[in-house]
Amino acid sequence: MSTMIIRLLLIFSYIFSCIRLRVAPYKYFQLNSDYFNEQREIFSKLDMDRLIPDRWRLQQFLDIGNQYPVKYPVFVKPEWGQNSHGVQRADNRQALEHIRANRTEDRMNYLIQQAAPGKREFEVFIIPSSNPTQLPAILSVTETLNRSGERFPINGIYNKSTHYLSISNQLNIEQMSALWTHLKQIGPFRISRFGLRADSINALLKGEFHIVEINLYLPMPLALLADNLIKTEKYRLCLRCMWQLANITKTLPANHPHKPVFFKNLRLSRSFKLSNKIGSYNEHS
């Protein structure tokens, strides 16, 4: 299935589930609104970084041109962004200076993040149970692989070298519980996807990993792109995820503060994609 078809399937499945449960679908955008930075009008990666315990946190700082990383490589990324849009890697100081000199988006803050030392990359998609004492209703673990052979690739759903393998069926209940015990320390998110790097699955379960990113806005379960799941398995996973997400949406308190998450992110996303196109054109012209 293409990414577009998957996204449409997710949207329609969620709307259908919400109708059956008698909950307004538009409330989706308030699920993680507690973490929406109204001053910056984004889900800020810096805000997320502050929630991460030191043992899992990578060195990361705002790139305003007066600070340099202790070692390379590093990733230069927008403070807000999705699917690796705008992310670049700098393998040395000269490369970093080149990235800075060719930056076109002046309304967006950029961050410099240390490259995670783990050998393998994992994406963990979570929808918690309506009962906080139980395991999540959805906990899907996907390994991200890259055919380029690079040690530190910029992975993403639009990178043709990136591909995914679902490894959830390799983990038993105790192992899933161990992983959940680690990640639930960071925040009571109503939907989330964690990007992690670790040397092995065993290291991941033991809490020996680094968190590359936490996605709280429109996170897609990347198992839906996995090479080792057939279409019927993906359909079932999609329906199950959206039913559970509608259940979580129904638990939002009636007095939950409303924030303009959707419109602010839509405007920013359009502006950011346009600036990336302009920057790409200028770099190759």
Side-chain angles (χ1 to χ4, degrees):
M1 289 190 290
S2 70
T3 303
M4 179 60 70
I5 291 174
I6 290 172
R7 289 196 183 281
L8 290 173
L9 183 60
L10 288 167
I11 291 169
F12 287 120
S13 299
Y14 176 68
I15 292 173
F16 177 74
S17 298
C18 284
I19 291 172
R20 286 193 62 189
L21 292 171
R22 298 182 181 181
V23 59
Y26 66 81
K27 289 187 176 180
Y28 169 87
F29 297 101
Q30 302 306 311
L31 288 175
N32 286 322
S33 62
D34 295 338
Y35 301 94
F36 184 73
N37 188 316
E38 290 190 272
Q39 183 178 4
R40 298 280 299 121
E41 299 184 341
I42 57 174
F43 285 100
S44 168
K45 290 184 173 71
L46 279 181
D47 290 349
M48 293 299 102
D49 189 59
R50 296 185 187 102
L51 300 176
I52 301 172
D54 289 344
R55 65 186 180 279
W56 298 329
R57 185 188 299 158
L58 294 165
Q59 182 197 38
Q60 184 167 247
F61 56 88
L62 194 63
D63 184 18
I64 54 177
N66 64 348
Q67 186 175 352
Y68 290 88
V70 175
K71 61 179 180 179
Y72 295 87
V74 295
F75 290 95
V76 183
K77 53 174 63 178
E79 186 183 0
W80 178 91
Q82 293 175 281
N83 304 319
S84 299
H85 282 307
V87 178
Q88 295 176 278
R89 191 184 73 223
D91 293 327
N92 49 53
R93 181 163 175 160
Q94 182 180 4
L96 177 58
E97 296 290 16
H98 177 77
I99 291 170
R100 288 171 169 171
N102 287 276
R103 186 170 293 157
T104 58
E105 175 55 76
D106 56 1
R107 292 180 298 173
M108 171 67 71
N109 286 336
Y110 281 77
L111 311 175
I112 292 179
Q113 184 186 68
Q114 168 195 355
K119 297 175 182 177
R120 297 169 68 177
E121 186 170 336
F122 303 92
E123 295 282 343
V124 182
F125 177 83
I126 299 173
I127 300 175
S129 169
S130 54
N131 183 343
T133 65
Q134 296 179 350
L135 281 173
I138 302 291
L139 201 164
S140 173
V141 186
T142 306
E143 182 165 8
T144 303
L145 303 168
N146 194 287
R147 300 183 180 92
S148 70
E150 295 182 23
R151 174 68 177 88
F152 298 104
I154 300 174
N155 285 313
I157 62 176
Y158 299 114
N159 182 340
K160 293 181 179 179
S161 295
T162 299
H163 63 115
Y164 303 96
L165 289 178
S166 174
I167 61 171
S168 297
N169 60 0
Q170 298 179 30
L171 306 178
N172 58 37
I173 294 295
E174 290 75 18
Q175 291 171 319
M176 286 290 199
S177 179
L179 184 55
W180 172 235
T181 297
H182 298 314
L183 297 181
K184 70 180 181 180
Q185 298 177 43
I186 298 170
F189 310 130
R190 294 185 175 93
I191 180 175
S192 58
R193 193 179 73 221
F194 292 81
L196 313 171
R197 286 194 73 97
D199 284 332
S200 64
I201 295 175
N202 187 47
L204 180 72
L205 299 174
K206 289 165 61 177
E208 298 171 357
F209 56 76
H210 286 88
I211 297 177
V212 176
E213 190 154 293
I214 303 173
N215 187 344
L216 300 184
Y217 183 71
L218 303 179
M220 182 174 71
L222 293 180
L224 296 177
L225 297 174
D227 298 339
N228 60 335
L229 293 186
I230 61 176
K231 284 186 179 180
T232 54
E233 291 176 304
K234 293 179 181 180
Y235 284 131
R236 285 198 296 267
L237 175 61
C238 177
L239 295 174
R240 189 161 61 93
C241 285
M242 294 304 98
W243 177 259
Q244 296 298 341
L245 187 58
N247 268 308
I248 287 296
T249 308
K250 196 170 183 177
T251 67
L252 275 173
N255 61 350
H256 187 76
H258 179 86
K259 296 184 181 181
V261 174
F262 173 74
F263 294 105
K264 296 294 185 182
N265 278 281
L266 180 63
R267 179 175 58 82
L268 184 62
S269 179
R270 286 178 174 175
S271 172
F272 184 56
K273 288 179 180 178
L274 178 61
S275 69
N276 276 341
K277 289 180 180 179
I278 294 172
S280 178
Y281 173 78
N282 290 339
E283 201 165 301
H284 293 92
S285 62

